[in-house]
Amino acid sequence: MNAIEFKYITKRFGDLTANYNVSFAVRKNSVHCLIGENGAGKSTLMKILFGIYKPDSGIIKINNVEKSFDSPLDAIKSNIGMLHQHFMLIEDFTILENVILGSEVTIKYKIDFEWSEKTLNNFNDKYNLGLNLEQKISEISISEQQKVEILKLLYRNSEILIFDEPTAVLSPVEVKEFYKIIEKFKDEGKTIILITHKLHEVKEIADRVTVLRRGEVVYETEKENLDINILSRKIVGDVILKNDISKETVMINQEDSVIKLSNITLRKNGHDILNKLNLSLHNGEIYGVCGVEGNGQSELVDLIFGLEKKFSGYLEKNTNKISLVPDDRLKKGMIKEFTIGENLILKDKNKLNITKKYLTGLTDEVINNFDVRVPENSVIMKLLSGGNQQKVIFAREIELNNDVLIFSHPTRGVDINATAFIHSKIIEQRNAGKAVLLISSDLDELLSLSDKFGVIYKGTLVKEFSSELENIQNETMKNKLLEKIGKLMIGISVE
Amino acid sequence: MNIIVSILSLTFFAQVLRLFTPYFLGANAANFSERAGVINIAIEGFMITSALGYALFTYLTNNIFLGFVCAILVNLLFSLLYALFVIKLKINQIVAGVGFNLLMAGLAKFLIVFIFQSSSNTPRIPDLPNIPYIQDIPYVGEVLSDYIILFSFALIFISNFVLFKTKFGLRLRSAGENPEAGESLGIKIRLYKLYGVLICGFLSALGGIWLASNQNSFSDGMVAGRGYIALAAMIIGKWKPVNILFACIMFAFFEALEITFQISGTFIPSQIIQMLPYLITILVLIGFIGKTKPPASDGIPY
Ligand SMILES: Nc1ncnc2c1ncn2[C@@H]1O[C@H](COP(=O)(O)OP(=O)(O)OP(=O)(O)O)[C@@H](O)[C@H]1O
Ligand SMILES: [Mg+2]
């Protein structure tokens, strides 16, 4: 039986067709993966299912009954829940308030806090979420925020669950935990639609896969016939980009660091967020940092960038020309209501006279060079698809031509071709003699790009690798290294 | 010496309460609106219309109760109009607020000239009734038997309860913090914004009515910036009812002090004494309050 059926769904935004004649079915009690390039229309289709957008034409059937949703309220009433690509949380509310909002249980007029707390804590235990309900969203990490979103779905007892790129923000360990939760959902008979750019995840979890390309369904397959190579070709339409730039030897003098951190300690609310950390960045070198989120990565970035000043230890900066692609693109990387062009010139201090023509030219250049998919040149950032927003921010930081580049999760939410493109750009920068700090939760990305590589745990770089990285073409060596790194990341020391 | 005695007296206490009431009603009014994400700087104007409404309708109908009800209706009507402009038509809230303030002050001036042929005030109207027996207590009986003053005491708890303990309050606040998130959970955000504006109209009406009743008439300029002080109290109080209470008490205390000084006469020039409440505000703001953060989506049309 089908839980959901899309029939001939078409949705246009002005001249842009985000979905065209989309038809496919999602079996009840299955995990259905929806994949495709940045801007292929995945999020749009899910927003239609959730009642945020109305399709221009086409129908949706839920459990074989035709439904037309005017608002998320209607979708929620049909037991549909959605975890959005960009979280829908209220920073100043507690976790508990965020979860019960809209579906509060009351005694007379008063919210039954006691009951709510008990119910939520039950879910908390059952699914191992480990949340403290009294904390405010502004105080918790991104992966915890995602768990709050999951708790929202659980609390509403949704039968059909939509996950829009849930794993983009998670570290490998957390991804595993997340898929355990998904398995549990399936065991309980729920139906799951999942969007992701990571094909090995698809291979592992999917019962059926649908590929969207430029708004249309181009391929569909069952678990049995699932082949990652075919999938990636279907996603991009046969031309798979490879990271074709190789590292050139850049002469580096290990004595001359561009940025050097010695014995840096940073205390916040009585905790050592960074703890006697040592790190130096050199020209022509990519330094990779990996670790479970919340071990000091974002503070490290803030400190080098100059946003964090209350630390002890010694920080030597031989340049102030630093580019940053931040971890939270929506909050730290852009102004949502500004156009692409306006976001691109945000950091340009020298340009005084900004004309419309200049902005349009700049936008066109970036759109062409970085293959940004947009409905129109003058669109505001908010209306770009997640991966395309990332490309714009990345483009801006590269074009600044700074001495040091910090990339925090540069390929978060970016499709395979764009990932290859971004990787080649990063190497290009390195080859041009720039110092690069790369923070990522994608180990493959880190291993293939880094010249040096450190594992961060509780605010300390517990181990640094460099020569080991030369042998990663060798599978067994690589697996050995990965195993080591995995242990280090959770605080187990290795020799 | 004299002055200290008069500060410690019950009359002084009653005076503080009297000054406190319109501030607190106004500040809570503004707070309900801003918690729903709608800035309403027209509290001043809303107090003017309700004060005039009360005086006018009490005079015309010769019935205090009808005057009271009509004054509240007048404000609810104006609130609906304000909501139409800022929620439906998404006009800039500061501009709309300034517009309403100017309109309401001008309208009041016009109406007293037009109806009463007086350039400054309406004829005398009776007080609102007081609670019997309690009003016979010496010194403080008058203020403690005043229904509106008593209501504003209750408002401390009502505001807190409604905003933080009820479903209604949670949803109202979600409209002021992150309307998109609220909407994604099926909350009718604009409706809650409307509720916020209406509650604001109701509470500011009580403030206006109290002023007119206390003075037994409406006169031009009688609200005298209290609506703005109320806004300041809300901000100093960081949009939290209990803190707003303290901010309003502070304003009322220093204003009462100023009045006492003026009556008893001191060597300090009166202009300096008049500055006192504001000076203190600035000092308190710099020294103790720290950064105040409005609801995240305050003032942004949705
Ligand atoms: N409200 C809107 N107004 C105008 N254009 C929009 C709007 N929402 C989405 N678009 C455009 O529709 C296209 C599809 O966007 P969508 O967010 O569905 O992509 P996606 O497949 O989710 O991509 P990603 O993997 O990057 O998240 C994009 O080009 C986007 O800019
Ligand atoms: Mg998307």
Side-chain angles (χ1 to χ4, degrees):
Chain A
M1 181 167 143
N2 288 328
I4 310 162
E5 248 178 284
F6 295 97
K7 286 197 157 170
Y8 319 113
I9 300 279
T10 295
K11 174 76 188 170
R12 294 195 175 85
F13 297 111
D15 291 338
L16 180 121
T17 308
N19 291 137
Y20 183 71
N21 244 346
V22 174
S23 301
F24 68 92
V26 179
R27 268 195 311 270
K28 208 177 171 89
N29 195 16
S30 72
V31 176
H32 194 117
C33 283
L34 183 61
I35 59 179
E37 290 180 300
N38 294 133
K42 307 177 295 293
S43 297
T44 304
L45 187 66
M46 291 303 107
K47 285 180 184 166
I48 291 172
L49 174 59
F50 195 57
I52 294 173
Y53 295 148
K54 269 197 101 99
D56 297 331
S57 60
I59 57 167
I60 293 179
K61 284 184 174 179
I62 308 289
N63 297 327
N64 287 333
V65 185
E66 189 181 327
K67 296 265 171 161
S68 156
F69 298 147
D70 290 323
S71 76
L73 190 59
D74 297 338
I76 293 169
K77 280 184 188 150
S78 294
N79 277 335
I80 301 178
M82 177 158 176
L83 197 150
H84 296 265
Q85 186 168 8
H86 298 125
F87 297 156
M88 295 285 187
L89 295 170
I90 297 176
E91 295 274 315
D92 203 45
F93 277 20
T94 62
I95 293 181
L96 183 115
E97 286 175 325
N98 264 289
V99 174
I100 63 172
L101 179 63
S103 313
E104 309 84 350
V105 170
T106 53
I107 309 175
K108 289 256 168 71
Y109 297 103
K110 192 170 181 288
I111 294 174
D112 192 343
F113 284 107
E114 211 170 300
W115 179 88
S116 314
E117 214 176 299
K118 226 173 79 197
T119 313
L120 296 190
N121 273 329
N122 277 341
F123 287 127
N124 213 352
D125 295 342
K126 187 167 164 204
Y127 292 90
N128 252 330
L129 301 176
L131 294 171
N132 170 2
L133 301 179
E134 294 306 310
Q135 271 184 309
K136 284 188 177 173
I137 300 301
S138 52
E139 300 162 353
I140 63 178
S141 71
I142 291 194
S143 63
E144 284 174 309
Q145 292 181 9
Q146 180 172 60
K147 288 181 179 154
V148 177
E149 290 282 12
I150 292 177
L151 196 53
K152 271 159 85 172
L153 303 179
L154 289 169
Y155 176 73
R156 282 167 183 72
N157 203 6
S158 314
E159 282 305 312
I160 296 172
L161 305 171
I162 309 166
F163 291 94
D164 195 348
E165 294 193 35
T167 56
V169 296
L170 302 181
S171 66
V173 191
E174 293 165 332
V175 170
K176 275 203 188 116
E177 280 175 29
F178 173 77
Y179 282 115
K180 270 189 208 144
I181 295 178
I182 295 289
E183 293 285 352
K184 248 187 198 155
F185 283 158
K186 209 178 126 182
D187 291 344
E188 287 164 6
K190 297 184 194 292
T191 306
I192 293 128
I193 304 185
L194 189 119
I195 299 177
T196 178
H197 289 291
K198 298 176 185 163
L199 297 183
H200 59 270
E201 292 177 5
V202 175
K203 172 109 186 137
E204 234 160 76
I205 194 90
D207 293 311
R208 188 189 270 172
V209 184
T210 301
V211 181
L212 279 185
R213 187 170 147 64
R214 304 204 174 230
E216 294 181 66
V217 175
V218 292
Y219 184 68
E220 193 161 273
T221 187
E222 299 290 333
K223 190 184 185 73
E224 298 77 56
N225 310 321
L226 201 152
D227 178 327
I228 290 191
N229 289 322
I230 299 179
L231 281 187
S232 33
R233 272 211 304 282
K234 294 293 178 188
I235 289 173
V236 297
D238 281 338
V239 234
I240 303 181
L241 285 181
K242 276 263 165 355
N243 167 14
D244 50 3
I245 298 195
S246 55
K247 290 185 187 170
E248 291 161 16
T249 334
V250 183
M251 291 305 294
I252 21 177
N253 183 348
Q254 285 294 344
E255 306 297 301
D256 281 349
S257 50
V258 192
I259 289 194
K260 191 174 167 125
L261 285 72
S262 322
N263 234 342
I264 295 276
T265 297
L266 176 74
R267 268 186 95 76
K268 259 189 193 166
N269 308 326
H271 295 287
D272 284 339
I273 309 284
L274 296 178
N275 190 0
K276 303 204 182 96
L277 183 133
N278 295 304
L279 167 74
S280 41
L281 302 181
H282 300 272
N283 285 330
E285 196 177 85
I286 299 176
Y287 194 105
V289 172
C290 94
V292 176
E293 178 136 7
N295 274 286
Q297 292 95 321
S298 57
E299 286 80 6
L300 175 65
V301 170
D302 285 353
L303 196 137
I304 296 176
F305 196 64
L307 293 172
E308 185 64 68
K309 299 205 170 73
K310 292 178 194 143
F311 55 88
S312 65
Y314 186 64
L315 169 67
E316 184 187 307
K317 273 209 236 180
N318 289 327
T319 178
N320 270 320
K321 295 182 71 182
I322 303 178
S323 283
L324 169 66
V325 174
D327 49 1
D328 191 340
R329 60 176 165 242
L330 220 49
K331 269 184 228 143
K332 303 183 203 161
M334 64 192 207
I335 299 179
K336 285 191 293 191
E337 311 292 336
F338 279 17
T339 62
I340 300 177
E342 285 163 346
N343 270 289
L344 285 172
I345 53 148
L346 271 184
K347 290 191 171 177
D348 190 340
K349 290 176 224 145
N350 302 325
K351 186 97 189 153
L352 288 178
N353 174 21
I354 298 156
T355 60
K356 205 164 184 169
K357 203 169 137 215
Y358 175 75
L359 281 186
T360 321
L362 197 66
T363 309
D364 282 337
E365 206 181 298
V366 167
I367 288 176
N368 288 331
N369 291 348
F370 289 79
D371 190 26
V372 185
R373 307 280 168 83
V374 298
E376 52 170 337
N377 185 306
S378 62
V379 70
I380 59 169
M381 279 292 266
K382 192 168 123 179
L383 299 181
L384 292 191
S385 81
N388 283 308
Q389 293 171 348
Q390 183 74 0
K391 290 185 210 166
V392 172
I393 295 170
F394 184 83
R396 176 183 69 209
E397 298 303 318
I398 293 275
E399 306 276 307
L400 283 171
N401 196 18
N402 282 338
D403 305 328
V404 178
L405 297 109
I406 306 175
F407 299 110
S408 197
H409 308 278
T411 54
R412 186 174 264 179
V414 169
D415 65 38
I416 29 177
N417 268 356
T419 299
F421 180 76
I422 285 179
H423 285 172
S424 61
K425 279 281 172 190
I426 292 178
I427 292 183
E428 210 175 272
Q429 293 293 311
R430 168 202 176 272
N431 288 349
K434 307 287 170 70
V436 176
L437 177 67
L438 174 65
I439 292 171
S440 174
S441 47
D442 182 341
L443 285 177
D444 283 323
E445 172 171 89
L446 280 169
L447 291 183
S448 65
L449 294 180
S450 309
D451 296 293
K452 261 193 208 151
F453 177 87
V455 180
I456 193 166
Y457 177 72
K458 291 203 169 162
T460 315
L461 283 166
V462 284
K463 189 146 178 82
E464 205 170 272
F465 302 93
S466 54
S467 55
E468 291 91 334
L469 292 172
E470 284 154 23
N471 310 324
I472 54 160
Q473 310 306 356
N474 179 326
E475 273 302 313
T476 41
M477 294 291 267
K478 183 176 168 184
N479 286 337
K480 252 184 157 170
L481 186 59
L482 281 177
E483 196 184 317
K484 253 192 201 172
I485 293 168
K487 279 184 182 164
L488 288 166
M489 275 169 65
I490 52 174
I492 302 170
S493 57
V494 294
E495 79 321 324
Chain B
M1 200 53 222
N2 265 340
I3 286 181
I4 295 175
V5 172
S6 46
I7 290 178
L8 292 176
S9 70
L10 285 170
T11 346
F12 183 79
F13 171 71
Q15 173 80 306
V16 172
L17 269 188
R18 247 184 252 118
L19 292 163
F20 161 82
T21 303
Y23 290 161
F24 192 62
L25 288 168
N28 273 288
N31 193 32
F32 269 99
S33 179
E34 298 216 354
R35 280 290 186 171
V38 180
I39 293 180
N40 190 347
I41 59 164
I43 302 297
E44 178 85 4
F46 277 99
M47 283 193 180
I48 294 175
T49 48
S50 51
L52 174 62
Y54 173 69
L56 181 63
F57 287 106
T58 305
Y59 177 78
L60 292 180
T61 60
N62 217 348
N63 181 328
I64 297 175
F65 180 71
L66 277 181
F68 183 86
V69 172
C70 288
I72 287 177
L73 286 181
V74 165
N75 260 23
L76 291 182
L77 275 179
F78 272 112
S79 298
L80 272 179
L81 194 65
Y82 187 72
L84 173 73
F85 281 138
V86 300
I87 302 174
K88 182 95 185 155
L89 303 176
K90 299 187 180 174
I91 289 172
N92 181 297
Q93 295 168 13
I94 303 295
V95 174
V98 171
F100 267 68
N101 270 334
L102 293 175
L103 170 81
M104 288 160 155
L107 189 67
K109 234 185 205 135
F110 168 74
L111 284 179
I112 40 181
V113 176
F114 187 72
I115 299 174
F116 301 107
Q117 276 83 41
S118 151
S119 66
S120 63
N121 55 276
T122 62
R124 197 182 154 76
I125 46 156
D127 272 348
L128 280 167
N130 284 33
I131 303 173
Y133 306 117
I134 299 182
Q135 62 176 324
D136 300 330
I137 303 171
Y139 302 112
V140 291
E142 194 199 326
V143 289
L144 292 185
S145 61
D146 186 316
Y147 286 106
I148 294 184
I149 292 184
L150 291 180
F151 175 77
S152 64
F153 285 154
L155 191 57
I156 303 162
F157 303 100
I158 296 174
S159 278
N160 232 342
F161 182 76
V162 170
L163 283 175
F164 298 105
K165 301 282 182 235
T166 65
K167 169 166 131 179
F168 175 82
L170 192 70
R171 293 178 176 198
L172 184 98
R173 284 189 292 133
S174 82
E177 293 286 347
N178 185 347
E180 249 176 326
E183 186 104 53
S184 79
L185 295 173
I187 290 166
K188 298 197 169 74
I189 292 298
R190 296 216 185 120
L191 188 64
Y192 279 88
K193 284 184 183 286
L194 175 64
Y195 290 149
V197 172
L198 289 179
I199 294 175
C200 174
F202 171 74
L203 291 177
S204 53
L206 289 185
I209 291 170
W210 187 86
L211 284 173
S213 154
N214 194 49
Q215 194 190 286
N216 297 102
S217 72
F218 174 85
S219 60
D220 186 31
M222 71 180 284
V223 178
R226 286 188 175 82
Y228 296 107
I229 302 278
L231 287 173
M234 170 193 70
I235 294 169
I236 293 177
K238 299 187 179 183
W239 291 266
K240 297 201 177 77
V242 177
N243 296 359
I244 290 175
L245 169 77
F246 288 118
C248 290
I249 289 178
M250 184 186 76
F251 280 125
F253 175 81
F254 284 107
E255 211 183 312
L257 201 62
E258 173 207 323
I259 294 170
T260 314
F261 271 129
Q262 276 185 357
I263 292 171
S264 49
T266 59
F267 58 95
I268 310 170
S270 68
Q271 285 85 348
I272 294 209
I273 293 172
Q274 277 169 5
M275 273 165 53
L276 209 63
Y278 310 102
L279 208 63
I280 300 283
T281 310
I282 293 172
L283 290 180
V284 167
L285 262 183
I286 298 170
F288 300 106
I289 304 296
K291 200 173 155 198
T292 64
K293 194 168 101 319
S297 183
D298 199 8
I300 302 168
Y302 185 75

